[in-house]
Amino acid sequence: MFRTVLKLAAVAAIVLASPTHAQQRPGEGVSPAAPAVVQASPPAAAQAAPGQAPSAPQAAPGAAAAAESAATKLSISVPRELSPWSMFMSADVVVKAVMIGLAFASLITWTIFLAKMIELSVVQQKVRSALKKISDARSLAEAQFALGSKEGVLPSLLAASMREARLSAGISSDAGIKERAASSCAEIVRAEARRVRLGMGLLATIGATSPFVGLFGTVWGIMNSFIGISKAQTTNLAVVAPGIAEALLATAIGLVAAIPAVIIYNHFARVTKGYLELVNRASGAAARLLSRDLDRTHVGGGAMSRSAAE
């Protein structure tokens, strides 16, 4: 009996220690609904419902076409180079008119500069030479003989003084003769000042208005650039830059026309002032010669009256 119990205990121990009872079977512990969870979704779930936006592969051809169209527009609107000539040719009609007008004003400025430079140099040399020739003259007649038949402001002053002395013959008032001769000489000086200042008013006008005319062209060009931006519906700098560059070119041309005009005007103002000082010296020389002639007339008349009385 005891042996039988030991046999049974040994058999039970062997059964409990075996691997088949220690590990779980492969199919155990999984719920029966698990295979349904891992099943693939039906094919209809992968397709987009009607009315929804197309997927990325479908939208790609349209985006590529839009990008190609934008690149084509950009290549058409942007000039190949931004040289001054190309910007002028592609500018608006109003901006072109402004640029042409400013270029013409600059041409006028330099023409006046060359003409007035030659004119003032010649007349200054003439007046200096004439004053040197009559420096030793004792009367109006001698001064006219020294100058000969030359034309100029000094011969005109001498002729006016002699004409007044001749017209006032028989008048004993020397002060009245000198006053009338001074008035005639003043008219000649004023006429010479007006003549020598011809063209300087135009220089002042060009120097004062050219920057504003160029600014008008700039404003007009920038306005057109913004209109082009709104039509192109882009703020790309490559589209905006050409129009703004064309507009700024108008301001640059305005400054090119204005700055030399102002400098040349100031230069001629100084040169003209020096020339008018020479003309005033010539007028004073003519007045002194007239005064000497009048004094000689009175001295000669007094000597003749004394000799007659004796």
Side-chain angles (χ1 to χ4, degrees):
M1 186 70 181
F2 180 73
R3 290 179 180 178
T4 302
V5 173
L6 288 175
K7 289 180 180 179
L8 292 175
V11 171
I14 292 171
V15 171
L16 292 175
S18 64
T20 58
H21 291 278
Q23 296 179 356
Q24 189 178 10
R25 293 180 182 178
E28 294 179 355
V30 180
S31 61
V37 177
V38 298
Q39 289 179 357
S41 59
Q47 298 179 357
Q52 293 182 354
S55 59
Q58 295 176 351
E68 184 179 356
S69 177
T72 304
K73 291 181 180 179
L74 182 61
S75 63
I76 293 174
S77 60
V78 178
R80 295 182 179 179
E81 58 177 350
L82 290 178
S83 63
W85 179 251
S86 64
M87 288 189 291
F88 170 76
M89 295 303 296
S90 60
D92 186 72
V93 177
V94 177
V95 181
K96 281 184 180 179
V98 169
M99 292 181 184
I100 292 172
L102 292 173
F104 184 68
S106 180
L107 178 63
I108 291 175
T109 297
W110 290 107
T111 302
I112 292 175
F113 171 73
L114 294 176
K116 297 299 290 184
M117 181 67 70
I118 296 172
E119 178 189 3
L120 288 172
S121 299
V122 170
V123 294
Q124 281 183 332
Q125 184 63 30
K126 283 184 178 181
V127 174
R128 288 194 180 97
S129 176
L131 287 174
K132 189 178 294 185
K133 287 180 180 179
I134 68 168
S135 59
D136 296 331
R138 295 179 298 176
S139 64
L140 291 172
E142 288 185 6
Q144 282 190 327
F145 180 77
L147 293 177
S149 59
K150 293 181 180 180
E151 296 182 356
V153 61
L154 185 53
S156 300
L157 292 170
L158 296 176
S161 299
M162 289 192 69
R163 182 173 60 253
E164 186 59 38
R166 186 177 64 254
L167 294 175
S168 301
I171 300 175
S172 59
S173 176
D174 293 343
I177 297 174
K178 293 178 182 179
E179 183 180 355
R180 288 187 292 272
S183 176
S184 299
C185 291
E187 290 180 359
I188 295 173
V189 171
R190 286 193 296 268
E192 184 67 14
R194 287 192 300 269
R195 187 189 67 80
V196 80
R197 288 195 177 108
L198 287 176
M200 294 185 64
L202 190 57
L203 287 176
T205 302
I206 292 173
T209 59
S210 292
F212 298 102
V213 175
L215 184 60
F216 166 73
T218 298
V219 172
W220 189 273
I222 291 176
M223 181 181 67
N224 289 334
S225 298
F226 281 121
I227 292 173
I229 292 170
S230 64
K231 289 181 179 179
Q233 296 181 356
T234 179
T235 57
N236 192 344
L237 187 61
V239 178
V240 180
I244 296 178
E246 295 164 7
L248 293 176
L249 182 62
T251 299
I253 297 176
L255 294 176
V256 168
I259 293 174
V262 174
I263 295 174
I264 293 171
Y265 175 82
N266 292 332
H267 171 70
F268 283 146
R270 293 190 297 268
V271 175
T272 302
K273 184 178 179 181
Y275 171 68
L276 292 178
E277 290 178 356
L278 288 176
V279 173
N280 288 324
R281 284 176 54 190
S283 177
R288 288 191 295 272
L289 292 173
L290 175 62
S291 178
R292 291 186 190 129
D293 287 348
L294 293 176
D295 291 342
R296 288 194 189 95
T297 302
H298 291 300
V299 170
M304 290 177 62
S305 60
R306 284 196 298 272
S307 62
E310 292 175 354

